[in-house]
Amino acid sequence: MNFEPNESQLQTQTIAREFAEKDLLPTIRERDASRAFPLDLFRKFGKTGIYGLPYATEIGGLGGSYLAYVLAVEEVSKVDGAFGIAFSVDTSLYGGSIANSSAPDAIKKKFLAPITYGEKIGSFGLTEHSAGSDAAGQRTVAVKDGDSYILNGSKCFNTNGPMADYTVIYCLTDPELGTKGMAAFVVEKGTPGFTVGQVEDKMGIRTAQVSDMHLTNVRVPVENMIAKPGEGFKLAMKTLDGGRIGVAAQGLGIAKGAFEIARKYMMERQQFGKPICKQQYLAFKMAELQTKIQAAELLLYKAAMAKEEGKPYTVPAAMAKLTCTNVAMEVTSEAVQMLGGNGYMKGYHVERMMRDAKITQIYEGTNEIQKLVISGQLFR
Ligand code: CAA
């Protein structure tokens, strides 16, 4: 099995790396403090067509590879994990909902093409206060009225929500049927009755814009229904499988970014008359972390390749998400420790990376949910 990226995938990786280092890195500290999302930079990166990269050209994507997308998320997350999740939600949760849906190609194109080049931004509305890990516990409803549906309810923890032009809202057309009565609609910004709550103040990924979304008698044309009644839950689950690969890439990027800062620091920092990397205990710790990073990378690229090749990827995605995000937490925490007092200070980035890493173990299915998915397949 070969999980080595090809030339075109490596080109995408280079574009993302240069963007992260030249455009994101210089302002990351101030943005983390002020919680300002770099919308201008998001649009600038979008000019490459990166947000629609893995989707077919017929529906407005670039017809590129999922592994290339993964490499790009990883690269930006090495520097800025918040940008990584904004990118991942736009492409894999919003774009994935559209691409995986049963909507006609013309509708897919209408809602996907504008995000490909960053002109519009997408968000994903599944989670509710009563429906977190139990995604089936939805209360948002859609009632048919002529050639429209009227939506009522609330969503929470919507990444990109405050700036999204389009949000996919998962909701029940028949609450009695539970998951079998779920549909999905694209709701456009500015639709009367559709409002966005306060931007959340978070521990990490501070510049990522996250909010509640409220729907009060929101009239949505039937052509915006991308999952018919009964199809919504499976569309959400399938889309989350792709999203979890994106979060795994975000986690791996954060881990690699923190590892590299620690590695360089250990070669420069002198204590007891020699660089601290000459302390075998610390060098062995780095050897262990490097091994874990590479093991996580293999799981991630394997999951991305499975998706790209049309093989089942639910379990590979869950394994990649579980492993990469746990590695992110471990590596960032160890990096803070390696840098000692300096690691705890803002200037070295690793404390931010540690804060950013935590959420990767929680969103798009907690790591306990990933174990549920993996063990569920084991004992079928
Ligand atoms: N792909 C396709 N279909 C799937 C599927 C998948 N991966 N997983 C389940 N299904 C189907 C099942 O086959 C089943 O179909 P049938 O009824 O025809 O048999 C149906 O969906 C129901 O499946 P389950 O009985 O397994 O469903 P469940 O209610 O037990 O839930 C769960 C399973 C895995 C726990 C699911 O609820 C889950 O993934 N929970 C976590 C939710 C989550 O990840 N939320 C994150 C939201 S996004 C976010 O984090 C915010 C952000 O902006 C970043």
Side-chain angles (χ1 to χ4, degrees):
M1 277 174 281
N2 178 18
F3 304 124
E4 284 299 311
N6 63 30
E7 204 164 308
S8 128
Q9 290 157 344
L10 288 173
Q11 261 173 15
T12 304
Q13 184 185 43
T14 304
I15 291 169
R17 181 175 298 151
E18 286 174 0
F19 169 75
E21 286 170 2
K22 285 194 194 128
D23 290 293
L24 294 176
L25 186 59
T27 54
I28 182 66
R29 232 181 104 185
E30 295 74 42
R31 289 190 285 104
D32 179 63
S34 68
R35 294 195 282 135
F37 184 77
L39 192 54
D40 51 340
L41 294 179
F42 196 78
R43 293 205 197 282
K44 180 179 176 185
F45 193 40
K47 289 204 162 61
T48 59
I50 196 106
Y51 304 130
L53 175 71
Y55 302 118
T57 50
E58 297 78 45
I59 59 166
L62 279 200
S65 93
Y66 216 75
L67 182 58
Y69 151 72
V70 158
L71 292 171
V73 173
E74 197 188 307
E75 284 307 317
V76 296
S77 302
K78 280 182 187 173
V79 170
D80 184 346
F83 196 95
I85 194 63
F87 173 9
S88 178
V89 166
D90 198 34
T91 299
S92 57
L93 289 190
Y94 173 76
S97 294
I98 305 294
N100 293 331
S101 77
S102 61
D105 277 2
I107 294 294
K108 289 187 183 180
K109 193 167 184 174
K110 175 180 172 188
F111 290 121
L112 187 71
I115 70 144
T116 291
Y117 290 95
E119 292 145 17
K120 304 272 184 193
I121 296 173
S123 174
F124 176 84
L126 177 70
T127 304
E128 300 183 7
H129 287 292
S130 63
S133 288
D134 182 8
Q138 301 282 318
R139 297 213 175 129
T140 299
V141 291
V143 177
K144 195 155 194 298
D145 183 39
D147 53 6
S148 306
Y149 276 81
I150 309 291
L151 274 56
N152 277 287
S154 281
K155 299 288 171 182
C156 63
F157 303 146
N158 292 98
T159 304
N160 294 348
M163 56 193 188
D165 301 284
Y166 303 134
T167 301
V168 174
I169 296 288
Y170 289 87
C171 52
L172 299 172
T173 47
D174 191 342
E176 305 258 298
L177 295 179
T179 56
K180 299 221 182 316
M182 197 185 289
F185 298 82
V186 177
V187 181
E188 299 185 41
K189 184 180 188 169
T191 308
F194 184 45
T195 54
V196 170
Q198 265 193 330
V199 179
E200 301 284 0
D201 190 1
K202 310 180 294 311
M203 169 181 164
I205 56 157
R206 287 177 55 75
T207 73
Q209 304 289 290
V210 176
S211 68
D212 284 356
M213 294 186 128
H214 305 289
L215 302 112
T216 308
N217 296 324
V218 176
R219 181 174 286 277
V220 181
V222 77
E223 68 164 30
N224 286 30
M225 184 163 73
I226 57 164
K228 296 191 186 84
E231 292 177 353
F233 192 73
K234 287 184 187 175
L235 176 63
M237 291 297 112
K238 188 172 181 199
T239 300
L240 277 167
D241 289 340
R244 287 164 187 168
I245 297 176
V247 173
Q250 183 206 14
L252 188 67
I254 295 171
K256 286 185 179 177
F259 183 88
E260 196 49 23
I261 291 170
R263 192 184 69 80
K264 287 186 179 143
Y265 183 89
M266 288 171 69
M267 290 195 295
E268 283 162 14
R269 172 78 173 160
Q270 303 267 338
Q271 288 289 278
F272 304 106
K274 56 187 178 187
I276 62 171
C277 64
K278 298 284 182 200
Q279 304 288 355
Q280 198 177 52
Y281 172 75
L282 298 182
F284 276 16
K285 174 59 77 181
M286 290 297 276
E288 279 174 25
L289 295 179
Q290 173 71 333
T291 306
K292 287 182 184 182
I293 285 173
Q294 293 213 356
E297 184 187 272
L298 283 173
L299 277 176
L300 171 59
Y301 295 176
K302 185 179 177 197
M305 292 301 287
K307 176 162 168 47
E308 198 163 312
E309 290 168 2
K311 295 179 184 156
Y313 60 94
T314 299
V315 170
M319 287 178 170
K321 200 267 184 188
L322 174 67
T323 307
C324 291
T325 63
N326 284 345
V327 167
M329 201 61 237
E330 184 178 355
V331 171
T332 54
S333 164
E334 290 290 357
V336 170
Q337 190 71 19
M338 293 284 180
L339 270 70
N342 284 329
Y344 202 68
M345 300 300 144
K346 298 274 180 191
Y348 285 83
H349 299 290
V350 287
E351 65 78 34
R352 170 179 52 80
M353 290 170 160
M354 183 177 156
R355 287 186 281 109
D356 287 354
K358 185 61 208 167
I359 189 64
T360 67
Q361 295 178 307
I362 297 171
Y363 54 27
E364 298 199 31
T366 62
N367 282 1
E368 290 72 22
I369 290 293
Q370 308 312 317
K371 290 179 196 172
L372 197 73
V373 171
I374 299 163
S375 61
Q377 293 274 338
L378 274 180
F379 301 113
R380 242 164 201 223

